[in-house]
Amino acid sequence: GRVGCVLPIHPHASAMLANLENRLLERTTFVGDLSYRAWRAFAVDGQAAAWRDEPAAGFVDGDFVETFLDLSRDEQRQIADKVNATTLPSRDFPRSPITVDTLVTLLGDLRQQH
């Protein structure tokens, strides 16, 4: 593995991206039926950690969420609707619609930072 970039992200944007990642996982089939969550799990010196079945938390796979940009506009809209329905409002960001354009802009902004 590698670390491409570690960036601070506003908590609301982080929650939105984590939600996007989960919605993309719902529709993605991986080669060899590999479990994405197991692949992303922590390992030490090539050995699976005892907590390997625990989900990774506190980060978003930027390369994976950027696959949203490769989808058709209709697929993007379907996923944005699911993200919109499941992202909770925060004190700093009261409930506002999460649109395809919102997600495309957020991903573009993040892409420019690395």
Side-chain angles (χ1 to χ4, degrees):
R2 67 180 170 84
V3 175
C5 187
V6 177
L7 298 170
I9 301 173
H10 189 280
H12 183 72
S14 177
M16 192 182 332
L17 289 169
N19 192 339
L20 173 60
E21 183 176 52
N22 287 328
R23 302 297 74 81
L24 288 167
L25 283 170
E26 291 172 357
R27 64 171 304 284
T28 305
T29 303
F30 294 92
V31 174
D33 206 24
L34 179 68
S35 164
Y36 177 82
R37 296 190 194 287
W39 179 72
R40 298 298 297 167
F42 187 77
V44 177
D45 293 329
Q47 300 297 315
W51 55 87
R52 184 147 180 115
D53 291 331
E54 293 295 319
F59 67 92
V60 174
D61 183 338
D63 290 335
F64 182 64
V65 295
E66 282 182 356
T67 64
F68 176 79
L69 301 172
D70 299 329
L71 302 175
S72 71
R73 191 71 173 182
D74 188 53
E75 290 172 309
Q76 289 177 338
R77 192 173 302 109
Q78 290 173 15
I79 290 173
D81 288 345
K82 290 180 182 180
V83 171
N84 191 46
T86 54
T87 298
L88 299 175
S90 70
R91 183 177 49 120
D92 296 330
F93 289 87
R95 187 55 139 175
S96 60
I98 297 168
T99 65
V100 170
D101 291 337
T102 303
L103 295 171
V104 168
T105 298
L106 177 59
L107 292 169
D109 291 347
L110 290 174
R111 186 180 267 176
Q112 288 181 358
Q113 291 184 37
H114 72 337

